[in-house]
Short mmCIF file of all heavy atoms in Angstrom, two decimals:
data_model
loop_
_atom_site.label_atom_id
_atom_site.label_comp_id
_atom_site.label_asym_id
_atom_site.label_seq_id
_atom_site.Cartn_x
_atom_site.Cartn_y
_atom_site.Cartn_z
N GLU A 72 110.44 99.49 109.95
CA GLU A 72 110.59 98.67 108.75
C GLU A 72 109.28 98.54 107.98
O GLU A 72 109.26 98.54 106.75
CB GLU A 72 111.10 97.28 109.14
CG GLU A 72 111.46 96.41 107.95
CD GLU A 72 112.21 95.16 108.35
OE1 GLU A 72 112.84 95.16 109.43
OE2 GLU A 72 112.16 94.18 107.59
N GLU A 76 108.30 99.16 103.97
CA GLU A 76 107.56 98.18 103.17
C GLU A 76 106.32 98.81 102.54
O GLU A 76 106.01 98.58 101.37
CB GLU A 76 107.18 96.99 104.04
CG GLU A 76 108.36 96.15 104.49
CD GLU A 76 107.97 95.07 105.49
OE1 GLU A 76 106.77 95.01 105.85
OE2 GLU A 76 108.85 94.31 105.91
N LEU A 215 118.87 85.63 95.17
CA LEU A 215 119.35 84.25 95.25
C LEU A 215 118.20 83.28 95.01
O LEU A 215 117.22 83.26 95.75
CB LEU A 215 119.93 83.97 96.64
CG LEU A 215 121.29 84.57 97.00
CD1 LEU A 215 121.67 84.13 98.41
CD2 LEU A 215 122.36 84.15 96.01
N ALA A 222 123.16 77.70 99.18
CA ALA A 222 122.86 79.10 99.49
C ALA A 222 123.94 79.78 100.33
O ALA A 222 124.34 80.92 100.04
CB ALA A 222 121.51 79.20 100.19
N THR A 226 126.27 82.84 99.17
CA THR A 226 126.17 84.08 99.95
C THR A 226 127.54 84.59 100.35
O THR A 226 127.83 85.79 100.27
CB THR A 226 125.30 83.85 101.20
OG1 THR A 226 123.97 83.53 100.78
CG2 THR A 226 125.27 85.09 102.08
N LEU A 237 120.68 91.32 99.78
CA LEU A 237 120.30 90.05 99.18
C LEU A 237 118.81 89.80 99.34
O LEU A 237 118.25 90.02 100.43
CB LEU A 237 121.04 88.88 99.85
CG LEU A 237 122.57 88.90 99.88
CD1 LEU A 237 123.08 87.74 100.72
CD2 LEU A 237 123.13 88.82 98.48
N LEU A 238 118.18 89.33 98.27
CA LEU A 238 116.81 88.83 98.34
C LEU A 238 116.92 87.32 98.19
O LEU A 238 117.28 86.82 97.13
CB LEU A 238 115.96 89.43 97.22
CG LEU A 238 114.48 89.02 97.20
CD1 LEU A 238 113.78 89.48 98.47
CD2 LEU A 238 113.78 89.60 95.98
N ASN A 239 116.63 86.60 99.27
CA ASN A 239 116.90 85.17 99.33
C ASN A 239 115.63 84.34 99.23
O ASN A 239 114.74 84.44 100.07
CB ASN A 239 117.62 84.85 100.64
CG ASN A 239 117.77 83.36 100.86
OD1 ASN A 239 118.09 82.62 99.93
ND2 ASN A 239 117.53 82.91 102.08
N PHE A 240 115.56 83.48 98.21
CA PHE A 240 114.42 82.59 98.04
C PHE A 240 114.70 81.19 98.58
O PHE A 240 113.81 80.35 98.58
CB PHE A 240 114.03 82.49 96.56
CG PHE A 240 113.22 83.65 96.07
CD1 PHE A 240 113.84 84.79 95.57
CD2 PHE A 240 111.83 83.62 96.10
CE1 PHE A 240 113.10 85.87 95.11
CE2 PHE A 240 111.08 84.69 95.65
CZ PHE A 240 111.72 85.82 95.15
N ALA A 241 115.92 80.92 99.01
CA ALA A 241 116.24 79.60 99.57
C ALA A 241 115.70 79.52 100.99
O ALA A 241 115.89 80.44 101.79
CB ALA A 241 117.75 79.38 99.57
N PRO A 242 115.02 78.43 101.35
CA PRO A 242 114.43 78.31 102.69
C PRO A 242 115.47 77.94 103.74
O PRO A 242 115.44 76.86 104.34
CB PRO A 242 113.40 77.19 102.50
CG PRO A 242 113.99 76.33 101.43
CD PRO A 242 114.69 77.27 100.49
N VAL A 243 116.39 78.87 103.98
CA VAL A 243 117.47 78.62 104.93
C VAL A 243 117.94 79.96 105.50
O VAL A 243 117.91 80.99 104.82
CB VAL A 243 118.65 77.89 104.24
CG1 VAL A 243 119.24 78.73 103.12
CG2 VAL A 243 119.72 77.49 105.23
N HIS A 244 118.35 79.93 106.78
CA HIS A 244 118.92 81.14 107.39
C HIS A 244 120.33 81.34 106.87
O HIS A 244 121.14 80.41 106.88
CB HIS A 244 118.94 81.00 108.91
CG HIS A 244 119.67 82.11 109.60
ND1 HIS A 244 119.14 83.38 109.73
CD2 HIS A 244 120.91 82.15 110.16
CE1 HIS A 244 120.01 84.15 110.35
NE2 HIS A 244 121.09 83.43 110.63
N LEU A 245 120.63 82.55 106.44
CA LEU A 245 121.96 82.86 105.90
C LEU A 245 122.77 83.66 106.92
O LEU A 245 122.28 84.63 107.49
CB LEU A 245 121.83 83.67 104.61
CG LEU A 245 121.11 82.99 103.45
CD1 LEU A 245 120.96 83.95 102.29
CD2 LEU A 245 121.84 81.72 103.02
N ASN A 246 123.99 83.23 107.15
CA ASN A 246 124.90 83.98 108.01
C ASN A 246 125.65 85.00 107.16
O ASN A 246 126.35 84.63 106.20
CB ASN A 246 125.89 83.02 108.69
CG ASN A 246 125.20 82.06 109.63
OD1 ASN A 246 124.41 82.48 110.48
ND2 ASN A 246 125.47 80.77 109.48
N VAL A 247 125.49 86.26 107.51
CA VAL A 247 126.11 87.33 106.72
C VAL A 247 126.78 88.34 107.65
O VAL A 247 126.45 88.40 108.84
CB VAL A 247 125.06 88.06 105.85
CG1 VAL A 247 124.44 87.12 104.83
CG2 VAL A 247 123.98 88.70 106.72
N ARG A 252 122.31 93.28 104.40
CA ARG A 252 120.87 93.11 104.65
C ARG A 252 120.34 91.96 103.80
O ARG A 252 120.55 91.91 102.59
CB ARG A 252 120.13 94.41 104.30
CG ARG A 252 118.61 94.33 104.44
CD ARG A 252 118.21 94.06 105.88
NE ARG A 252 116.77 93.97 106.01
CZ ARG A 252 116.00 94.99 106.40
NH1 ARG A 252 116.54 96.16 106.67
NH2 ARG A 252 114.70 94.83 106.51
N VAL A 253 119.63 91.03 104.46
CA VAL A 253 119.00 89.91 103.77
C VAL A 253 117.49 89.98 103.98
O VAL A 253 117.02 90.12 105.11
CB VAL A 253 119.51 88.55 104.29
CG1 VAL A 253 118.78 87.40 103.59
CG2 VAL A 253 121.01 88.42 104.09
N THR A 254 116.75 89.90 102.89
CA THR A 254 115.29 89.75 102.97
C THR A 254 114.95 88.37 102.44
O THR A 254 115.33 88.00 101.33
CB THR A 254 114.57 90.82 102.14
OG1 THR A 254 114.84 92.11 102.70
CG2 THR A 254 113.07 90.59 102.15
N ASN A 255 114.27 87.58 103.27
CA ASN A 255 113.93 86.21 102.91
C ASN A 255 112.51 86.12 102.35
O ASN A 255 111.58 86.74 102.89
CB ASN A 255 114.05 85.29 104.13
CG ASN A 255 115.47 85.19 104.63
OD1 ASN A 255 116.36 84.73 103.93
ND2 ASN A 255 115.70 85.63 105.86
N VAL A 256 112.37 85.36 101.29
CA VAL A 256 111.06 85.07 100.71
C VAL A 256 110.88 83.56 100.74
O VAL A 256 111.52 82.84 99.97
CB VAL A 256 110.94 85.59 99.26
CG1 VAL A 256 109.56 85.29 98.71
CG2 VAL A 256 111.24 87.08 99.20
N ASP A 257 110.05 83.09 101.67
CA ASP A 257 109.84 81.64 101.83
C ASP A 257 108.42 81.30 101.38
O ASP A 257 107.46 81.45 102.14
CB ASP A 257 110.06 81.25 103.29
CG ASP A 257 110.11 79.74 103.49
OD1 ASP A 257 109.54 79.01 102.64
OD2 ASP A 257 110.69 79.29 104.49
N LEU A 258 108.29 80.87 100.15
CA LEU A 258 106.98 80.59 99.58
C LEU A 258 106.28 79.43 100.29
O LEU A 258 105.07 79.46 100.51
CB LEU A 258 107.11 80.30 98.09
CG LEU A 258 107.72 81.41 97.23
CD1 LEU A 258 107.85 80.96 95.78
CD2 LEU A 258 106.88 82.67 97.31
#
Side-chain angles (χ1 to χ4, degrees):
E72 187 169 336
E76 292 173 358
L215 287 181
T226 296
L237 303 174
L238 182 62
N239 172 42
F240 280 88
V243 62
H244 172 75
L245 298 175
N246 295 310
V247 297
R252 176 63 181 263
V253 177
T254 295
N255 295 298
V256 181
D257 190 337
L258 300 178

